[in-house]
């Protein structure tokens, strides 16, 4: 069966996540309906993608690259400082639901490492101190 | 002293009002068959990593019959050490658009996709705006520039998976499924998106194609060597003074010259230990081989490949086991899990390597990694599983003594 190419799950899911910060159960049901798939299929697909969340996350998602080039520019020091400050391990969300911390692979800014993203906002050549300073201003 | 050779690079080109798409206009005059011939004559090889001749790909896609045909611009750029497509999307946006349009016209596609990694938020904004303006200006849409050709492009954001850069995973991903790979054949050219003929090209390949029509296949072919035409965007990073994207004419420089003349040498004058010349899925080139010529054949002779052009410089100041651990972790984390050798193999390799930092690497463990790696190279379904062994295996064999001595075990 040939499917329609008008509705693209990835784009629909991004839009939902841009609105809610994650993809809630009822939206999964709606996606399933719109795309004529089972909820399990949609859920299984979304779960594959590391940028999609089916549970609420922190208000801010902090992504720190620890791939090879950033590592050579001391990403581990930035990561340690941020982990210390937030008291979070990779993949965890803070109790006050302010931050989710993700340690990620290459973000495509290897010439300007270390690199930290706060949601869509990119910070390059970041020092441990500067990283913490940026986070301390977020409420 | 080596200088950049600028064929793709140039001033920022984003504003539709500043550009009248001469390459595309020429394409409309030439017609599909002449375009295919021109691209073939240029000798352009795909810049996404696999190096398949672009002209041949376009010819095959042109010959395919189908009510719907698609073109996909692969902007998923996720291979560690690679950021040259981002440069093109940022600075040479309209050249990328022009390349997609020429490809679409050549194979007669009416819909195109740009699959861009979800983390490229700035580039996503730029592309959204560009596409909107292009539609307004009649560069996209019905009867473009008064021709009978109608075409539009959809921008689709990926969601954090390196494996989706593989063209077959990308197709599954676009179709709303998990981004795991498909077995080939059938190739996307004959049965791609929604089962229709689909041309998938890398951002740089498409920008090159636009410039080949603009500046001529002859000019492109006159640069480089017999087997490596034209120029390549090299992303330089790691222990290097001036990291960045540099355009290098194939055959005009050794690896050493690229590092010294363009990259300003290694950071703080540290001694270079090895480089990874083409992204994290290419074998390393140890420092005693940096005289190798930068070209497909030169790097092949040096035991590696051009790959994506993501060149990482690793100095002796780095802890080898930490570098290895990160490479192994990358493959473990990014494996899509569909086939056993890659899913389990990468986990095992990561475990042995990360433990080795404290427990030491014995000859037995080293052999075990090689065995697992060899199995993956043979039995894994897609390029991800098949290439894990390339950087890891070459580091292990090159620095065997150091790694075995390096641990704390007797
Ligand atoms: C795991 C994996 C990841 C890949 N990632 C990319 C990518 O991010 N961008 C890209 O253009 N090609 C990538 N490729 C190569 C594509 O499968 C495909 O060969 C390429 O997009 C074709 O374009 P080209 O002929 O213009 O190079 C990847 C391949 C594999 C196996
Ligand atoms: S080789 Fe790895 S990434 Fe590729 S299909 Fe198999 S499990 Fe997935
Ligand atoms: S290695 Fe960190 S952005 Fe590429």
């Amino acid at each position: 069966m040939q499917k329609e190419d008008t509705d693209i799950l990835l784009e629909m899911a991004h839009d939902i996540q841009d609105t809610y910060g994650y993809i809630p159960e009822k939206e999964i049901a709606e996606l399933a309906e719109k795309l004529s798939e089972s909820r399990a299929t949609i859920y299984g697909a979304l779960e594959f993608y590391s940028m999609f969340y089916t549970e609420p996350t922190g208000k801010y998602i902090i992504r720190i690259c620890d791939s090879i080039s950033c590592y050579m520019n001391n990403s581990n020091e930035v990561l340690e400082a941020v982990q210390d400050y937030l008291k979070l391990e990779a993949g965890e969300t803070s109790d006050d639901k302010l931050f989710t911390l993700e340690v990620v692979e290459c973000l495509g800014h290897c010439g300007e490492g270390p690199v930290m993203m706060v949601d869509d906002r990119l910070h390059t050549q970041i020092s441990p101190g500067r990283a913490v300073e940026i986070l301390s201003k977020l409420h | 002293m080596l200088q950049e050779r600028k064929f793709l690079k140039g001033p920022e080109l984003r504003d539709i009002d500043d550009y009248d798409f001469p390459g595309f206009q020429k394409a409309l005059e030439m017609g599909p068959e002449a375009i295919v011939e021109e691209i073939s004559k240029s000798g352009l090889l795909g810049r996404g990593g696999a190096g398949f001749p672009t002209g041949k790909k376009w010819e095959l896609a042109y010959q395919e019959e189908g009510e719907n045909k698609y073109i996909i611009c692969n902007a998923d750029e996720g291979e560690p050490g690679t950021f040259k497509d981002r440069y093109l999307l940022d600075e040479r946006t309209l050249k990328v658009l022009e390349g997609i349009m020429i490809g679409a016209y050549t194979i007669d596609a009416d819909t195109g996709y740009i699959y861009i990694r979800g983390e490229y938020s700035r580039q996503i904004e730029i592309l959204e705006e560009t596409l909107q303006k292009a539609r307004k200006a009649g560069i996209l849409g019905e009867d473009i520039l008064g021709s009978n050709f109608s075409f539009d492009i959809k921008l689709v954001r990926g969601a954090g998976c390196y494996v989706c850069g593989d063209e077959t995973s990308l197709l599954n991903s676009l179709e709303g499924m998990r981004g795991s790979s498909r077995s080939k054949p059938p190739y996307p050219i004959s049965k791609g998106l929604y089962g229709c003929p689909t041309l998938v090209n890398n951002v740089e390949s498409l920008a090159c194609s636009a410039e080949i029509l603009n500046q001529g296949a002859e000019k492109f072919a006159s640069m480089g060597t017999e087997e490596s035409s034209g120029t390549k965007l090299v992303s330089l990073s790691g222990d290097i003074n001036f990291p960045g994207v540099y355009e290098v004419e194939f055959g005009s420089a050794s690896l050493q010259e690229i590092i010294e003349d363009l990259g300003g040498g290694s950071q703080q004058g540290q001694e270079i230990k090895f480089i990874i010349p083409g992204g994290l899925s290419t074998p390393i080139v140890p420092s005693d081989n940096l005289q190798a010529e930068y070209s497909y054949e030169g790097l092949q002779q040096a035991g590696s490949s051009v790959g994506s052009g993501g060149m990482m410089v690793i100095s002796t100041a780095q802890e080898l086991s930490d570098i290895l651990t990160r490479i192994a972790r990358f493959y473990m984390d990014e494996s899509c899990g569909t086939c056993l050798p890659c899913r389990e193999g990468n986990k095992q390799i990561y475990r042995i390597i990360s433990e080795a930092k404290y427990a030491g690497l014995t000859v037995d463990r080293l052999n075990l990694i090689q065995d697992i790696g060899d199995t993956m190279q043979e039995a894994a379904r897609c390029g991800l599983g098949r290439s894990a062994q390339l950087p890891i295996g070459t580091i292990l064999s090159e620095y065997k003594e150091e790694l075995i001595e390096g641990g704390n075990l007797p």
Side-chain angles (χ1 to χ4, degrees), chain A residues 3 5 9-11 14-15 18 44 48-51 66 69 71-73 105-109 111 120, chain B residues 70 83 86 117 121 154 157-160 173 175-179 194 237 243 267 312-313 322 326 329-330:
Chain A
K3 283 203 233 166
D5 65 355
L9 176 66
L10 281 170
E11 276 299 309
H14 268 298
D15 288 342
D18 288 346
F48 181 86
Y49 298 94
S50 64
M51 281 179 89
D66 188 42
S69 287
Y71 164 72
M72 285 190 264
N73 287 303
E105 297 294 349
C106 183
L107 287 169
H109 289 265
D120 281 353
Chain B
Y70 297 105
F83 44 101
R86 181 172 56 78
R117 62 177 305 181
S121 33
K154 292 176 190 165
R157 289 167 282 174
S173 180
E175 288 183 18
M177 296 184 268
R178 297 166 74 88
Y194 308 109
S237 71
Q267 258 173 24
M312 292 166 278
V313 176
D322 287 338
R326 275 166 182 79
R329 187 190 58 196
F330 171 75

Side-chain angles (χ1 to χ4, degrees), chain B residues 46-50 52 57 74 76-78 162-163 165-167 200-202 205 383-384:
Chain B
R47 302 297 198 226
F52 191 84
K57 214 184 223 185
N74 189 343
D76 197 46
E77 191 165 72
Y162 164 67
V163 71
D166 166 75
E167 55 186 9
V200 184
N201 269 135
N202 170 257
S205 311
L384 188 145

